[in-house]
Amino acid sequence: MGWVSGNLPLIGNLTLQHLYFALPPIVIGLVLAIPIGWLANRTRVGRTITINVAGLLYTIPSLALFVLLPPLLGTRILDPVNVIIALTVYTVALLVRTVADALSAVPQLVVNSATAMGYGPLRRFVAVELPLSVPVVVAGLRVAAVSSISLVTVGAVIGFGGLGQMFTDGFQRGIPAEIVTGIVLVLLLALVVDGLLLLVGRLLTPWDRVGRSAGRPA
Amino acid sequence: MIEFRGVTKRFPDGTVAVDNLELQVRDGGITVFVGPSGCGKTTSLRMVNRMIDPSSGTIMVNDTDVMKTDAAQLRRGIGYVIQQAGLFPHRTIVDNVATVPLLLGWSKKRARDRAMELMETVGLTPEMARRYPGQLSGGQQQRVGVARALAADPPVLLMDEPFSAVDPIVRESLQDELLKLQADLGKTILFVTHDIDEAVKLGDRVAVFRVGGRLAQYDEPGVLLARPADDFVDSFVGRDRGYRGLSFRSSEQLPLHELCTVRSGERTERGWSLFLDADGRPLGWHHDRAGGGTADGGDLVPGGSLYDARAGSLRSALDAALSSPSGQGVAVDGDGRAVGAVAADDVLEALAAHRRAEAA
């Protein structure tokens, strides 16, 4: 505990930095994944291609992506944008499939009934299909968020900072307390963000907890 | 008015769902499309609000070719009740009902007020307004579906097998309520079902479709039962059509006979007497083997169905006679008081009179 109390400002800074790297990709990734997932759902071929490309993107090792992006984007090697873009790519890769699945799980009966009431395609998407896909999308978003928070630590290896820096520094200087503190804080961050997403999901879907579902014979 | 002019629907795989349909839907009545699955009845209905576009031919709604309108605008002006209600699970009941008014740009308050009004019209209590569809039974969901379709007061209502997913008892009460509602509203309703009994019960006019999307017969239900156009309609209309056809024959000229009745404490005659309560409503039949007994309301034989002497049909008169233990059908007035007896022979004689009149 001695190490922790002596390094509170550092710990605070690294935590904030970690959030700065981890959170924007979750939001940007979600915003990008929704239209891509919608497009993917339009045709069977589109869906197969999109989902396979997304799966492929996710298999690129994160360290490799951090190193590959600067020459591709023309950014400096330690520009935070590199981390944010790399993690956005992973979030999109994870969420595209979720969004496509969530949208295709909206009962066709409900979609047809919205059309028959006089909804145009865009309005129907925003007012009916999107809200109904929230439970599945939030479940996927929780996985993506935790993954993003954990992947930021890899950036520390090439000097990006964040809580991962406590692993590299603690390892190089032989301070186990620093490593353990880093692990505990990453876990805590992941738990808090996961809990918040769960809460937001529940607030958005009061209808999802009322028992039998509509749109099917009761 | 809705008019189909030479309408054909051919799907990309080559199936012809509707084949050169020529049909006019009468204003202010219920027109039922009925037929086996694959007969094109649902496709025909869905072409009216452009859920499906025809391959050729024209569909006119109120003298406008539907293909020349904006599909979303057109649909907001036509009520639609879908199979299994198709409510929005994420919206409360009141917001489900307010859907079309809100799409038409009404203020939220006006749309909700209108929705509450319609919930009452279809027999839903105000406390259901804040619930979600998942909390309602199938029958209640279907009422919400009807209220939603009526919300913007469209002149035309399309109903696509609306009652097929509810149990038979609920279905019957929903049918009765639709007829009551229609008596008040006088909408032009196009109703699709695969159930010929539902078609005959609800329809002012019934269009029977055969597989391949061809119209087999388009007539009033009584005519359909009495004179099916061909063997297909005959077999589709089903068993007992002669008996069921009596539903559409007026019993106006049916003679009423005197009824032997008895009240509590009175002496009975030999044979059957109808036991009445203090107000003259039948409670059951009393049988006295020897004559000279006293009626006390015990040992009553349950009566058969009752025949409403003012509003009944030949079918209900005949059923009353056939189901009565004494062979005398009990005719009642609007308040349920026994007013006389009907005999099966008279029903057959009345039917014969009807036929003579038609032949002349």
Side-chain angles (χ1 to χ4, degrees), chain A:
Chain A
M1 288 310 280
W3 185 89
V4 173
S5 52
N7 291 279
L8 279 178
L10 174 73
I11 294 173
N13 274 338
L14 290 179
T15 307
L16 283 180
Q17 204 180 15
H18 199 97
L19 286 174
Y20 172 69
F21 286 140
L23 294 185
I26 300 173
V27 177
I28 303 170
L30 175 65
V31 169
L32 291 177
I34 288 173
I36 300 175
W38 177 78
L39 276 175
N41 242 6
R42 304 286 288 176
T43 60
R44 191 183 290 267
V45 181
R47 187 187 167 91
T48 314
I49 292 174
T50 317
I51 284 171
N52 281 316
V53 168
L56 214 59
L57 279 178
Y58 199 71
T59 58
I60 304 174
S62 50
L63 196 54
L65 202 53
F66 293 151
V67 179
L68 270 174
L69 277 176
L72 281 176
L73 300 169
T75 47
R76 285 175 298 111
I77 185 88
L78 283 185
D79 196 326
V81 166
N82 299 331
V83 180
I84 292 176
I85 291 179
L87 294 182
T88 302
V89 168
Y90 289 129
T91 309
V92 170
L94 273 177
L95 282 183
V96 159
R97 187 187 189 129
T98 308
V99 171
D101 286 347
L103 289 175
S104 67
V106 174
Q108 197 54 43
L109 182 71
V110 175
V111 177
N112 283 345
S113 123
T115 309
M117 295 298 124
Y119 275 101
L122 182 67
R123 208 163 163 184
R124 187 188 67 207
F125 179 74
V126 174
V128 178
E129 291 166 87
L130 204 53
L132 285 176
S133 56
V134 165
V136 179
V137 169
V138 166
L141 193 61
R142 287 169 65 193
V143 175
V146 169
S147 147
S148 173
I149 287 167
S150 111
L151 280 175
V152 172
T153 58
V154 179
V157 176
I158 52 170
F160 272 115
L163 290 170
Q165 193 182 309
M166 293 168 81
F167 304 164
T168 50
D169 187 69
F171 181 71
Q172 280 160 4
R173 299 201 291 153
I175 314 172
E178 187 176 10
I179 299 175
V180 171
T181 310
I183 293 173
V184 169
L185 283 176
V186 170
L187 278 175
L188 269 178
L189 275 190
L191 279 175
V192 168
V193 170
D194 187 56
L196 283 176
L197 286 174
L198 183 69
L199 189 71
V200 170
R202 291 200 159 217
L203 290 176
L204 284 176
T205 58
W207 49 273
D208 199 31
R209 291 184 303 283
V210 293
R212 294 161 302 153
S213 74
R216 282 166 227 158

